[in-house]
Amino acid sequence: MSKFGELIETKVPVLLDFYADWDDACKGMHPVLRDVAAALGDKARVIKIDVEKNQELAEALRVKGLPTLMIYKNGEMKWRQSGEQDANTLIGLVKEFV
């Protein structure tokens, strides 16, 4: 959990993707997140978190549906949504916090 604090305590927005390899919706998000990361460059970070390997964190953040996406900045959650999103929507959302 302390590593999670280090991930989100940044001046640039951090887009977190809580996913599972067995989930089809999560698989569909992989190319979308690649596009988002490419479009934002160093203005933001995109981090994928496997809920199977990080069950304690997923439970602490009450991740129920997959994928669950969150945007953090300066350690504070700014936005959260479960379900698939398109690249343009995510890019727009992250840019609000740059």
Side-chain angles (χ1 to χ4, degrees), residues 6-23:
E6 292 169 24
L7 285 178
I8 63 170
E9 277 293 337
T10 61
K11 288 182 168 46
V12 296
V14 179
L15 173 63
L16 301 175
D17 169 36
F18 286 85
Y19 76 98
D21 286 328
W22 47 262
D23 186 86

Side-chain angles (χ1 to χ4, degrees), residues 1 3 6 9-14 26 34 37 42 47-48 50 54 56 59-60 69 71-73 76-77 93:
M1 290 285 249
K3 284 183 102 171
E6 292 169 24
E9 277 293 337
T10 61
K11 288 182 168 46
V12 296
V14 179
C26 293
R34 260 198 313 272
D42 59 1
I47 299 172
K48 298 174 65 52
D50 186 339
N54 298 279
E56 192 178 318
E59 286 174 21
L69 301 158
I71 298 173
Y72 276 86
K73 185 172 180 182
E76 185 181 331
M77 186 189 298
L93 284 162

Side-chain angles (χ1 to χ4, degrees), residues 19-65:
Y19 76 98
D21 286 328
W22 47 262
D23 186 86
D24 288 337
C26 293
K27 288 178 190 170
M29 286 300 296
H30 292 313
V32 171
L33 291 164
R34 260 198 313 272
D35 292 348
V36 171
L40 293 170
D42 59 1
K43 292 186 181 82
R45 293 177 65 198
V46 177
I47 299 172
K48 298 174 65 52
I49 298 175
D50 186 339
V51 294
E52 299 284 313
K53 295 177 183 157
N54 298 279
Q55 290 179 334
E56 192 178 318
L57 176 60
E59 286 174 21
L61 292 171
R62 296 185 181 93
V63 173
K64 303 278 188 249

Side-chain angles (χ1 to χ4, degrees), residues 70-85:
M70 301 177 193
I71 298 173
Y72 276 86
K73 185 172 180 182
N74 297 321
E76 185 181 331
M77 186 189 298
K78 300 292 188 180
W79 176 85
R80 175 181 176 143
Q81 180 94 25
S82 290
E84 294 178 78
Q85 301 289 320

Side-chain angles (χ1 to χ4, degrees), residues 81-96:
Q81 180 94 25
S82 290
E84 294 178 78
Q85 301 289 320
D86 66 88
N88 290 334
T89 300
L90 290 172
I91 292 165
L93 284 162
V94 173
K95 281 185 174 178
E96 287 179 34

